[in-house]
Structure formats: C-alpha cells, structure tokens
Amino acid sequence: MTSAYIHIPFCEHICFYCDFNKVFIEGQPVDEYIEALLKEIKLTKELYPSDTTETIYIGGGTPTSLSAKQLDRLLGGVKELLPFNPTDEFTVEANPGDLTLDKIKVMQTHGVNRLSMGVQTFDDRLLKKIGRKHTAQDVFDTMTLLEKAAFSNVSIDLIYALPNQTMESFEDTLDKAIGLDLPHYSMYSLILENKTMFYNWARQGRLHLPGIDVEGDMFERAIERMTLAGKHQYEVSNFCEPGKESQHNLVYWNNDHYYGLGAGASGYLGNVRYKNHGPIQHYLEPLRQDKLPTITTENLTIKHQMEEEMFLGLRKKQGVSLTNFEEKFGQKFDSVYGEIAQQLIDEEMLQIKNSNISLTDKGLILGNDVFEKFLLEK
C-alpha cells in the first residue's frame, strides 16, 4: 500500500512567510496542469503499481483556488487513477473564504472526507501583517458553510510567534480555535524560510519577532489548553480528539512510502526519495513528451533509512517502536543507537516505555536538539 501527496501550486494570494512551491493563479495554465498531473499519476503507477491508496492528500498552494469545474476534473481523475477505499482518509487543503457550497459538494461527490484549513491566527491585525487575505470572520462563515454541507472532519493550522504577537493575542486565538471544537488542530511556530518576504524583512531589521522564551511559553500554553479541551498531542505540532489523528501525516512520521505528485512535490518509493521540477513550465515539459518530471533522486542506504526512522518517528508522542525498528532494519536498536539513546535518557530528553522510545516533556520542547543527535554522520 502506498499513500499519495498531490501538489496544486496555485494561489489567489502569496503570503509573506510561505516558501512552498506556489504561483499567483492569474494567467497560469491551470487546465493543462491538471491534465499533466493526471498523466503523471498514470506514469508513476505504471512504474510503482499499488492495489490501494492508503491516504490521499491534496495540498498546495491552495487547491480550493481552482474553480468548481477544475476541482471536479482533478478529483474525478484522481479517483479513477488511484484505487481508494471510501473509508480511508482523503484530505484537501483549503483557505477560509475560498470555499463555496459548490466546491464542497464537488469534494463530497468524489469522496473527500477531510479538510485542512490554513487559519494561522484569529487576530485580524496579524492576518494583515502576515499577508493573509482572509479575516477571522471568514473562518466562522466557512465553518457555517461546512456545517450546512454536513462536513465535520475539519482540521485547522495555526502559527504562533508571529511578528509583534503577544501572549494575550495568542490566548485569544486559542480561545476561538478551541471554541470551534474541531477534531484536529496543527500548531507551528513561525520559521523564517529563505527567499520569503519575511526572511528579507528580518535581514533588513524590519521584522520584530517574539523572543525564544515567549515562543516556548506559547508552545507550552498551546499544549496545556489543547489537553484541557480534550485534544491530545499525538505529534510535536498536532493535537486531536482520540481517533482523529491525521493518517496521511502519520505516513510521513512512520517513514512509510508515498507518491509525490505535482510540481515541486517529493515522494518516497522503494528506497528512493525523489523530487519533481518546481517551476510550472519545467514540470509540464517532460509530461508533454510522456516522461516523468523528476529532477532529483536519492537512493537511501540502510543507515539513512534508520536516521529518518528516528528523527521522523520521534516527532510522534508514542515515539519509535523498538520492535518495528529491529524488524524493519534487521539490526538491534542498541547496537546502532544504544549510546546516543542512553545519553539522552540520562539528560531526561528521552524515555523508554513498553518497548517504545519517545520524547519526554522536556525533550518535546527541545525536539530539534534531540533529532539531530540521531544523524550518524554530522
């Protein structure tokens, strides 16, 4: 079984912090892109057949920036080419304000059963500052629309440690987010990614970000509030009601295989990680000649696979199963990582429970320091 990530690189608006592969939708060859994407699925499936698709995730960009007709063509084609069990997870990313009843109906018709929505904050002043075009009211209006369509499996993304964000503003965002009582929430601290407007502004001294202590306090407050609201933290940045974990994201954290489809998408098949051309025309060109748009491939050695197993798996609250590790790689965990693990256990960053190795509360706050210890070659 293999999952699928499908990338739609179009947006109606470019946010100041975003470094994903995306372009302003106006004047782009959207229809040709959809046809090329369906061709890529077909060519990839011929090379790497799979009887069923465990999870499908359509991200971006903004998939809901497509018209209802384009969405219908895309989802109809995906459904035809990727054999799928209707009870499995099929997620589409959306933006508040982009969703219409028409688009929701198209998604439901084709079996989409989960939405992931980029909300980021409920503070209108901050939304403007980070380049979002929606308002807090758009979020509530979109929720009303989803209720009307009886679509309840919704996750929202929030970002904290935004420019000039206070703890008071973040508390208010948590209040409003929790007030929606959704099954799933993702929460990320702002990262200044290369080549984004925020990155350039920070270099020019034009961006005032909360300090690392405030960021840590916000993260701890989020964990506290989410836990009180009955949304357990099952991964460093993700919280949900029991049984509502993102199955697609678990594919990444469990280091399982997935097709990466679309411009700039990355995939992991067999022992190969690969990446597609990012610029739209560079992506379309090979597909016009029935060739795959792959730009880089990397054959992972067992050592690299083990490293990835650790730094991806330790993001999960339950951590990495030592039994699975040994079955997967045919090596005793202790013989590969015993010394490093013991050092981190002594520092109270890691713990071993029921044959799982996982982060402690202290390790959770300093996750990146822990993950990099498992890279065998610095």
Side-chain angles (χ1 to χ4, degrees):
M1 287 201 300
T2 308
S3 287
Y5 171 77
I6 298 169
H7 191 74
I8 302 299
F10 308 113
C11 286
E12 286 184 6
H13 188 74
I14 306 295
C15 303
F16 302 156
Y17 54 85
C18 178
D19 80 324
F20 294 129
N21 188 48
K22 80 283 172 196
V23 291
F24 183 52
I25 193 165
E26 194 96 347
Q28 292 293 336
V30 180
D31 295 324
E32 186 188 355
Y33 180 85
I34 292 169
E35 296 309 319
L37 186 49
L38 297 176
K39 188 187 276 188
E40 186 198 352
I41 296 175
K42 205 163 157 293
L43 294 172
T44 307
K45 288 285 308 219
E46 283 165 12
L47 271 182
Y48 294 94
S50 176
D51 300 338
T52 177
T53 320
E54 210 172 349
T55 64
I56 300 176
Y57 190 105
I58 302 184
T62 314
T64 49
S65 65
L66 301 181
S67 67
K69 190 179 169 199
Q70 289 165 336
L71 212 45
D72 185 48
R73 173 67 187 128
L74 171 71
L75 296 174
V78 166
K79 199 174 169 188
E80 201 180 300
L81 294 165
L82 292 171
F84 187 72
N85 178 335
T87 57
D88 287 339
E89 188 185 87
F90 188 169
T91 306
V92 171
E93 280 182 2
N95 264 347
D98 280 340
L99 275 180
T100 59
L101 220 38
D102 275 2
K103 291 182 191 181
I104 296 167
K105 291 285 182 227
V106 166
M107 290 194 274
Q108 287 175 312
T109 301
H110 292 297
V112 174
N113 51 28
R114 185 173 180 273
L115 270 187
S116 176
M117 201 153 66
V119 169
Q120 321 319 2
T121 173
F122 284 89
D123 182 330
D124 282 344
R125 194 181 51 84
L126 274 179
L127 283 167
K128 252 199 187 84
K129 189 165 258 183
I130 65 177
R132 297 293 286 176
K133 72 175 176 68
H134 76 266
T135 62
Q137 190 53 49
D138 289 332
V139 179
F140 299 122
D141 294 347
T142 301
M143 289 301 170
T144 306
L145 213 52
L146 289 164
E147 234 164 85
K148 202 182 278 185
F151 200 123
S152 60
N153 193 10
V154 179
S155 171
I156 62 173
D157 285 2
L158 298 172
I159 302 180
Y160 59 94
L162 292 167
N164 298 105
Q165 187 176 29
T166 61
M167 185 57 106
E168 192 185 6
S169 156
F170 183 55
E171 283 275 14
D172 180 61
T173 278
L174 286 174
D175 285 343
K176 291 187 167 118
I178 289 166
L180 293 170
D181 195 22
L182 298 172
H184 191 284
Y185 297 84
S186 298
M187 207 140 338
Y188 305 100
S189 68
L190 178 70
I191 293 171
L192 294 178
E193 302 286 6
N194 222 331
K195 296 188 182 136
T196 60
M197 286 169 85
F198 267 8
Y199 180 81
N200 294 332
W201 291 349
R203 289 184 58 186
Q204 294 160 13
R206 288 170 54 198
L207 206 61
H208 303 291
L209 299 172
I212 194 109
D213 290 347
V214 176
E215 185 181 317
D217 290 346
M218 287 177 173
F219 182 50
E220 286 183 40
R221 186 64 51 87
I223 295 172
E224 201 177 287
R225 295 289 309 278
M226 285 286 161
T227 308
L228 269 174
K231 320 292 174 187
H232 75 283
Q233 183 183 23
Y234 69 99
E235 188 270 349
V236 174
S237 308
N238 286 270
F239 304 81
C240 72
E241 287 169 7
K244 290 294 184 180
E245 295 81 0
S246 163
Q247 296 307 307
H248 184 80
N249 284 343
L250 283 167
V251 166
Y252 300 146
W253 303 320
N254 290 332
N255 206 17
D256 290 335
H257 294 126
Y258 57 95
Y259 300 117
L261 304 154
S266 301
Y268 181 34
L269 298 167
N271 65 339
V272 177
R273 283 206 182 272
Y274 67 91
K275 189 171 169 49
N276 281 347
H277 280 285
I280 310 259
Q281 289 302 332
H282 291 203
Y283 169 78
L284 294 174
E285 197 46 52
L287 285 160
R288 288 177 185 132
Q289 297 156 45
D290 294 333
K291 292 185 181 135
L292 282 171
T294 315
I295 187 170
T296 59
T297 55
E298 183 193 357
N299 287 297
L300 296 184
T301 60
I302 289 285
K303 184 169 74 63
H304 284 131
Q305 289 172 51
M306 289 191 295
E307 286 177 358
E308 292 189 350
E309 188 82 10
M310 294 310 295
F311 68 69
L312 291 167
L314 282 172
R315 292 190 60 89
K316 295 177 297 174
K317 199 77 193 277
Q318 71 181 56
V320 173
S321 155
L322 301 180
T323 321
N324 278 2
F325 183 95
E326 288 168 11
E327 276 170 15
K328 205 166 181 178
F329 303 112
Q331 295 185 46
K332 285 271 175 223
F333 177 82
D334 278 353
S335 68
V336 187
Y337 287 122
E339 209 175 300
I340 297 164
Q342 194 52 55
Q343 181 196 331
L344 289 162
I345 289 167
D346 294 344
E347 290 171 18
E348 295 178 356
M349 301 278 224
L350 286 181
Q351 58 195 356
I352 291 183
K353 269 188 199 163
N354 310 328
S355 163
N356 274 20
I357 185 161
S358 62
L359 294 171
T360 59
D361 289 347
K362 180 183 169 188
L364 209 54
I365 306 288
L366 300 164
N368 288 338
D369 298 344
V370 177
F371 305 149
E372 65 182 31
K373 294 274 198 300
F374 285 93
L375 301 177
L376 292 171
E377 278 176 12
K378 301 291 183 281

